[in-house]
Amino acid sequence: MVKPIQQAAVIGSGVMGAAIAAHLAGAGIPCLLLDIVPTQLSEEEAKSGLTLEHPKVRSKLAATSIERLKKTKPAPLYSEAFAALITPGNLDDDLHKLSKVDWIIEVIVERLDVKRQLLQRIEQVWTPGTIVSSNTSGISINEMVEPCGEAFKRHFLGTHFFNPPRYMKLLEVIPGQTTDPEIVKYMTAFGEKRLGKGVVAAKDTPNFIANRIGTYGLLVTLREMLQKGYTVEEIDAVTGPAMGRPKSATFRTLDLVGLDTFVHVAGNVHNNTMDESEKAIFDAPTVLRRMVEQGWIGEKQGQGFYKKVKTTAGKEIQALNLATMEYAVSQKVKGASLEAAKTAKGAAAKIKALLGTGDRYSELAWRVLKPVLLYSANKLGEIADSIVEIDNAMKWGFNWDLGPFEIWDAIGLVKSVQRMESEGEVLPEWVTAWIAAGHTSFYVREAGSSAFYYECALTAVETRPEHISLRALKEQNRIILSNSGANLIDIGDDVACLEFSSPNNAIGGDILTMIQKSAEEVRNNYRGLVIANEGKHFCVGANLMLLLMEAQDGEWDEVDSIIRLFQNSMMALKRLPKPVVAAPHQMTLGGGVEACMPADKVIFSAETYYGLVEVGVGLIPAGGGCKEVALRTSRLVSNPEVDLQPFMNGYFETIGMAKVSTSGHDTKRLGYMAPQDSVVINADHRIYEAKMAVLDMDRAGYAAPVEERIRVVGESGKAVMQLGAYTMRQSGFISEHDQLIANKLAHVLAGGNVPANSYVSEQYMLDLEREAFLSLTGEPKTQQRMQHILTTGKPLRN
């Protein structure tokens, strides 16, 4: 039986080691962070009278890294508070402490000899049963522990996190020849459930899966560019979103990774493969080596394939001309195939459109995509046992929308293979055999399930109960109700899920209508309701375009009707006599927050950016957001003798400054997390956990919440908040219009012109919200703000 992981240790406090420790801490795992003992004092330490023997100096590398975690952007920690779970130390004084932990992760320099020495030291203090792993990006797992004992080897494996660990989903688990299969199984489940990762099983080959294929693809693209004379901008235009890949495409990705790091990773395959043709591909081009020698290694040095230059007009992005090795202003790239891809919906359609026009960029896309597909197919069995592992590795590790075999299906397997053969390419035998057997794709979907090729047979893709796929359920005809903006879906066990499906999941009349219909359906036929979706973002707020159009036309009755519908829909959720659980993820703003607030419980994805941001467009929350924070304040300070004002001031600042949480955990700092709410680290488990919460409440005998009276700070409290806004205006921090909005917000949050500590109804607070919202929509400067953000995506401070 595998010893459960309750405490861990990370050895190596560099950028990656510290970030892994931060991620473990975010998962609630106390962690030791160890590094070497420094050999020199800093000038400041010497002046302070410290010596190399002082404990503060001996563990300073780890301690400094922990402090740096709190300042790094993007933040490696879900919340600064998690840093308290990381304990700094050093390898000389604290090595013995490794005997008390359950998992030891080596994250030191990528040199086999150094890693071997460290692992032998670890073995000396190792407690049998403790799991030991390496975060290597490609050094052989078996060779690392070759000098170690058999018991140690059975507990050793590779756990390759991708950088930054908090944000990158992929975790490659690489067993050695003698690794205990139970440990591999445990670490796979632990990585997924506790660490929130997408785990793939890789083989002990150079660079494993994602870096092997990803590095190959980047090198092929670079060589195509050098041979055919494409520009840096042209390559990135083709190999970015048009090809179902991130905006960073090829060269921005290399700048982010660091050209020195990339050359090292490429060299790892070059030095370890026996295939001469593969060795040639992984021999980094001269231009790359030259750039590294000159220090043009990317963002960390300020220049690589791109650099930012300050000009009198502001910042300017320049791109490198590889023929002259000079920079020039980055140029926009246009072409028929690029336009076709831009207008197509979904990654599969975009790639097909990109390849379909036959223009210069279409041909480029084919020439860089074809070798990657062939390489991936040739490496099946060598780097991974299934195409699913390869596809997932590229999606989770390189943020591709589709993996290589999914791309092959999207562009037409048979047709593309015929083109390859006509161009003289030799296909792997298993691919031609698969097609000869009558198959026209690698994946087959039937009734919401999928299958994949494996040893000349279709094998069902493994699905776990924690993975509830709304897309698959819809394919299985599990839709209960539907309209243009939302669906109500049966997710099993008599629980329904309300899914927003409008563009950006912005809340308009269609979604609000569906909320009310869903509430009635669940009231009569289901045990409870989950509010969740699988969009890029949970909800970016209300349909601002609709509101602006009505306001510009002076249709005030229509605006009033929209707000009433919004408020009534939220109250329908709140008064539903069945449990309601919301499961937001990613951007959850404005109306999206107000759609979660009526729920009995909110299960935040760890990556949830949550906030009432209406003031940014010149408005205030009017779908119940102000009412709900007033109610929470009233509940929080139930003793009528305790002053509400300090608590309400906090909400006034949070909403007035449109603050957004930096994670699901950070919602607590902003006052948005209620005591019953929780965070799930694996976004794929959100809907399942929400469903379980509904069932738990139902089994416990759920009763709908009764209406509460809200104690408010009243007119005197409003004056305090408005004074704060006045002070900021006088200091030049906010504009006159900002102050107007702040005064309206203060009026609503305070409960209007009533005496302090008055008790008001929820409907009274909703009426205040609606009145303030209506008056602000009539303000020309608010309409300007709404127009500006719809046009540019950026807020206007007027």
Side-chain angles (χ1 to χ4, degrees):
M1 183 175 175
V2 179
K3 183 169 69 169
I5 294 173
Q6 296 176 326
Q7 296 184 77
V10 174
I11 302 178
S13 68
V15 172
M16 194 62 183
I20 290 173
H23 190 67
L24 297 181
I29 302 165
C31 185
L32 276 172
L33 182 61
L34 307 183
D35 212 315
I36 60 173
V37 175
T39 56
Q40 287 185 320
L41 290 173
S42 68
E43 189 175 326
E44 186 178 333
E45 288 166 341
K47 286 180 180 178
S48 300
L50 296 175
T51 69
L52 289 173
E53 297 307 311
H54 195 285
K56 187 176 178 181
V57 174
R58 292 176 70 79
S59 297
K60 77 171 180 180
L61 293 180
T64 302
S65 291
I66 294 169
E67 288 306 307
R68 192 180 299 119
L69 289 172
K70 301 174 186 178
K71 301 170 186 174
T72 301
K73 301 296 179 186
L77 293 159
Y78 291 124
S79 166
E80 267 193 37
F82 285 113
L85 288 176
I86 309 173
T87 303
N90 66 77
L91 283 168
D92 287 357
D93 303 327
D94 302 303
L95 190 70
H96 67 281
K97 294 179 181 177
L98 299 182
S99 64
K100 303 295 183 184
V101 304
D102 310 304
W103 180 20
I104 302 166
I105 314 169
E106 170 273 306
V107 196
I108 63 169
V109 64
E110 287 285 87
R111 278 181 48 187
L112 178 60
D113 59 335
V114 180
K115 288 181 184 291
R116 275 183 172 177
Q117 290 169 13
L118 175 63
L119 291 170
Q120 287 175 291
R121 287 186 68 189
I122 292 172
E123 187 176 18
Q124 293 172 8
V125 297
W126 176 70
T127 300
T130 298
I131 297 168
V132 184
S133 69
S134 172
N135 183 63
T136 179
S137 58
I139 293 178
S140 171
I141 300 301
N142 291 307
E143 288 185 29
M144 268 190 246
V145 287
E146 193 274 330
C148 298
E150 291 304 313
F152 190 82
K153 289 179 182 176
R154 285 198 299 274
H155 291 80
F156 184 74
L157 72 165
T159 51
H160 181 211
F161 290 81
F162 272 60
N163 193 30
R166 170 181 163 181
Y167 302 97
M168 294 301 291
K169 186 173 180 177
L170 181 61
L171 173 63
E172 291 177 320
V173 170
I174 312 104
Q177 292 174 348
T178 58
T179 307
D180 186 338
E182 286 301 309
I183 286 176
V184 178
K185 182 179 178 182
Y186 175 84
M187 288 304 294
T188 299
F190 182 84
E192 180 182 332
K193 177 93 174 163
R194 190 71 185 274
L195 302 183
K197 294 297 177 185
V199 183
V200 299
K203 296 197 174 185
D204 188 18
T205 55
N207 289 2
F208 312 128
I209 302 174
N211 277 342
R212 183 74 170 266
I213 292 172
T215 303
Y216 177 87
L218 289 166
L219 287 167
V220 162
T221 302
L222 183 56
R223 282 189 165 79
E224 183 68 23
M225 173 192 183
L226 294 172
Q227 289 171 10
K228 298 297 194 318
Y230 288 99
T231 67
V232 164
E233 299 98 314
E234 286 178 316
I235 294 292
D236 276 358
V238 171
T239 60
M243 200 179 275
R245 297 181 187 176
K247 289 180 181 178
S248 56
T250 296
F251 294 113
R252 291 189 192 278
T253 295
L254 285 170
D255 279 355
L256 287 167
V257 169
L259 273 64
D260 52 341
T261 301
F262 178 76
V263 168
H264 171 80
V265 172
N268 197 45
V269 179
H270 177 268
N271 297 333
N272 289 285
T273 182
M274 297 296 106
D275 184 326
E276 289 303 318
S277 61
E278 188 173 30
K279 189 181 283 289
I281 286 287
F282 281 91
D283 187 10
T286 303
V287 66
L288 269 187
R289 298 185 185 279
R290 181 179 168 189
M291 289 174 71
V292 171
E293 288 169 5
Q294 293 179 181
W296 297 4
I297 58 175
E299 284 206 353
K300 55 190 173 184
Q301 290 298 327
Q303 69 183 97
F305 288 101
Y306 293 94
K307 73 173 179 178
K308 290 180 183 177
V309 178
K310 287 184 179 179
T311 68
T312 53
K315 287 184 180 177
E316 179 179 274
I317 305 295
Q318 296 185 349
L320 182 65
N321 182 324
L322 294 187
T324 64
M325 295 304 286
E326 294 178 348
Y327 290 92
V329 178
S330 181
Q331 301 296 310
K332 293 265 185 189
V333 179
K334 294 182 179 179
S337 58
L338 295 173
E339 287 303 310
K342 191 174 182 179
T343 56
K345 301 296 183 184
K350 285 181 182 296
I351 298 169
K352 200 169 183 179
L354 178 66
L355 295 173
T357 63
D359 70 359
R360 169 179 167 84
Y361 298 129
S362 186
E363 287 302 308
L364 169 62
W366 172 250
R367 286 195 297 270
V368 300
L369 190 58
K370 176 179 69 173
V372 172
L373 301 183
L374 289 170
Y375 188 74
S376 300
N378 276 309
K379 292 301 165 186
L380 181 65
E382 179 184 336
I383 63 174
D385 282 331
S386 79
I387 66 171
V388 174
E389 304 288 350
I390 293 174
D391 279 349
N392 284 341
M394 298 315 298
K395 289 188 291 184
W396 296 340
F398 276 73
N399 289 324
W400 291 9
D401 290 332
L402 300 173
F405 298 96
E406 291 172 323
I407 291 172
W408 221 329
D409 281 356
I411 64 176
L413 174 60
V414 175
K415 185 178 178 181
S416 61
V417 163
Q418 289 171 347
R419 180 177 177 181
M420 290 176 185
E421 289 177 328
S422 72
E423 293 171 354
E425 303 292 350
V426 178
L427 275 294
E429 288 184 10
W430 73 266
V431 174
T432 54
W434 183 247
I435 294 172
H439 299 289
T440 57
S441 65
F442 292 117
Y443 291 88
V444 178
R445 281 195 169 273
E446 293 179 357
S449 63
S450 56
F452 64 90
Y453 170 82
Y454 178 61
E455 294 183 349
C456 299
L458 283 171
T459 304
V461 174
E462 181 184 1
T463 57
R464 296 180 176 83
E466 294 89 355
H467 290 198
I468 294 179
S469 167
L470 297 181
R471 185 183 75 167
L473 291 171
K474 286 185 286 187
E475 290 173 355
Q476 295 169 23
N477 298 316
R478 300 279 286 275
I479 295 177
I480 305 162
L481 300 170
S482 181
N483 68 14
S484 59
N487 302 298
L488 185 68
I489 303 167
D490 182 347
I491 58 174
D493 297 311
D494 295 324
V495 177
C497 178
L498 176 62
E499 174 200 43
F500 301 163
S501 57
S502 65
N504 292 317
N505 291 333
I507 298 177
D510 45 8
I511 288 179
L512 296 173
T513 299
M514 182 56 67
I515 287 173
Q516 297 203 5
K517 288 183 177 180
S518 297
E520 189 61 27
E521 178 70 21
V522 171
R523 176 194 301 272
N524 295 327
N525 299 309
Y526 290 84
R527 296 168 70 180
L529 177 68
V530 168
I531 305 172
N533 62 69
E534 295 171 332
K536 182 178 180 181
H537 301 294
F538 177 79
C539 177
V540 297
N543 186 332
L544 203 58
M545 177 64 78
L546 175 63
L547 285 168
L548 178 60
M549 290 171 60
E550 299 293 359
Q552 289 177 334
D553 291 341
E555 297 289 346
W556 306 118
D557 287 344
E558 189 61 32
V559 176
D560 182 75
S561 177
I562 292 170
I563 304 168
R564 287 180 187 273
L565 178 60
F566 203 128
Q567 292 180 342
N568 292 339
S569 300
M570 298 307 108
M571 291 303 290
L573 290 174
K574 186 162 187 176
R575 296 286 175 255
L576 186 64
K578 302 289 179 71
V580 177
V581 178
H585 68 285
Q586 294 294 321
M587 301 299 288
T588 304
L589 305 174
V593 173
E594 291 176 310
C596 295
M597 282 181 152
D600 299 289
K601 180 182 177 75
V602 179
I603 295 179
F604 297 97
S605 170
E607 298 304 335
T608 306
Y609 316 117
Y610 191 90
L612 294 166
V613 296
E614 287 83 352
V615 295
V617 290
L619 300 168
I620 68 157
C626 293
K627 179 260 295 182
E628 283 296 318
V629 298
L631 178 57
R632 290 183 182 197
T633 304
S634 181
R635 286 175 184 160
L636 184 67
V637 192
S638 56
N639 184 344
E641 301 300 317
V642 176
D643 187 9
L644 290 172
Q645 193 71 50
F647 301 94
M648 186 50 73
N649 289 348
Y651 277 120
F652 178 64
E653 180 181 322
T654 294
I655 299 172
M657 296 182 71
K659 292 182 179 180
V660 176
S661 72
T662 58
S663 69
H665 294 281
D666 192 49
T667 57
K668 185 175 184 179
R669 176 181 63 88
L670 296 181
Y672 289 131
M673 180 184 284
Q676 70 273 18
D677 297 341
S678 61
V679 178
V680 61
I681 198 166
N682 191 322
D684 293 338
H685 295 183
R686 289 177 300 113
I687 299 173
Y688 170 82
E689 295 295 345
K691 174 183 170 181
M692 292 300 103
V694 164
L695 294 174
D696 287 345
M697 282 187 270
D698 177 67
R699 281 191 290 266
Y702 179 81
V706 297
E707 182 170 355
E708 299 174 64
R709 303 286 287 175
I710 304 171
R711 182 162 71 101
V712 295
V713 297
E715 194 166 17
S716 60
K718 176 174 73 171
V720 172
M721 290 184 276
Q722 290 183 339
L723 177 60
Y726 172 80
T727 303
M728 291 188 73
R729 170 71 183 126
Q730 293 303 112
S731 301
F733 290 112
I734 62 174
S735 69
E736 184 180 350
H737 192 55
D738 289 327
Q739 186 181 357
L740 173 67
I741 300 163
N743 286 340
K744 297 274 188 184
L745 177 63
H747 178 75
V748 176
L749 291 176
N753 297 321
V754 298
N757 295 316
S758 295
Y759 284 84
V760 300
S761 68
E762 290 188 56
Q763 187 58 53
Y764 170 84
M765 292 294 293
L766 291 173
D767 291 342
L768 288 180
E769 285 186 2
R770 192 176 68 258
E771 291 163 7
F773 191 95
L774 270 169
S775 68
L776 286 169
T777 54
E779 292 285 339
K781 288 189 176 181
T782 284
Q783 292 182 19
Q784 290 169 13
R785 290 188 179 194
M786 295 166 74
Q787 182 72 58
H788 192 268
I789 203 161
L790 285 168
T791 305
T792 68
K794 298 177 181 178
L796 172 67
R797 299 304 299 272
N798 55 354

